[in-house]
């Protein structure tokens, strides 16, 4: 199946390496995945609904945030988590962030519809763990 919004692997690898190098220059002791996960979680603290702006990248990103110990819950779309992950964790974060940055300038913040496959119905992102709370720091019930 051919999905939309998938980044070219070479571009993603180069961009990821650049971002890792930039972080190493500014914060030599920082772990890229840990640092980037913290930034993304802070975005979600400001508005939990911003998870939607990650579109299909939300699912692999959520798995990373959960592995980093963040309160994002267990709901997952395994098909999309697999389809939109990078070659490694850092690439997955960078791809999700590139998508977020691009779409934040193109669609409304509360957009939850994405055309993942041409000529098929739009995918509607809905994460029960995120939608059921007002804030990411609330407990998931």
């Amino acid at each position: 199946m051919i999905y939309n919004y998938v980044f070219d692997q070479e571009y993603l690898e180069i961009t990821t390496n650049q971002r890792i190098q930039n972080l190493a220059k500014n914060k030599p002791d920082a772990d890229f995945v840990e640092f980037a996960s913290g930034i993304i979680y802070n975005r979600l603290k400001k508005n939990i609904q911003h998870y939607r702006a990650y579109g299909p990248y939300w699912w692999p990103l959520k798995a990373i945030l959960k592995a980093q110990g963040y309160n994002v819950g267990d709901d997952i779309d395994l098909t999309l988590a697999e389809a939109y992950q990078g070659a490694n964790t850092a690439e997955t974060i960078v791809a999700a962030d590139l998508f977020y940055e691009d779409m934040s300038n193109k669609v409304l913040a509360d957009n939850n519809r994405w055309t993942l496959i041409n000529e098929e119905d739009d995918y509607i992102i809905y994460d029960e763990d995120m939608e059921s709370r007002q804030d990411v720091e609330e407990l998931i019930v």
Side-chain angles (χ1 to χ4, degrees):
M1 192 168 308
I2 299 174
Y3 287 99
N4 292 324
Y5 311 118
V6 176
F7 292 96
D8 173 76
Q9 182 55 43
E10 184 177 350
Y11 169 75
L12 187 55
E13 184 178 341
I14 290 168
T15 304
T16 301
N17 287 335
Q18 288 172 341
R19 291 191 179 191
I20 290 170
Q21 289 171 4
N22 289 342
L23 179 62
K25 285 179 192 172
N26 296 320
K27 296 186 177 275
D29 295 331
D31 174 77
F32 179 81
V33 170
E34 183 179 309
F35 184 81
S37 295
I39 289 173
I40 291 165
Y41 192 73
N42 284 333
R43 284 180 191 156
L44 297 172
K45 277 181 170 179
K46 291 177 186 171
N47 183 343
I48 193 169
Q49 302 309 317
H50 281 172
Y51 87 88
R52 296 174 183 166
Y54 291 99
Y57 286 95
W58 169 246
W59 302 112
L61 179 61
K62 180 180 181 175
I64 293 167
L65 294 174
K66 181 179 167 90
Q68 290 290 314
Y70 291 107
N71 182 29
V72 292
D74 298 318
D75 193 21
I76 192 86
D77 182 320
L78 290 174
T79 301
L80 292 184
E82 200 172 282
Y84 286 93
Q85 67 183 349
N88 56 52
T89 305
E91 283 187 12
T92 301
I93 289 173
V94 170
D97 201 48
L98 288 168
F99 184 87
Y100 175 89
E101 290 168 357
D102 187 39
M103 291 301 144
S104 293
N105 295 319
K106 292 180 180 176
V107 299
L108 297 173
D110 63 350
N111 180 62
N112 67 345
R113 301 179 80 86
W114 305 100
T115 304
L116 302 185
I117 302 169
N118 292 338
E119 300 181 21
E120 286 195 14
D121 291 340
D122 283 352
Y123 173 77
I124 298 173
I125 188 166
Y126 184 85
D127 183 339
E128 180 67 32
D129 296 326
M130 304 303 274
E131 297 289 341
S132 65
R133 302 180 291 159
Q134 297 295 315
D135 186 285
V136 289
E137 295 185 324
E138 284 181 34
L139 292 177
I140 298 171
V141 285

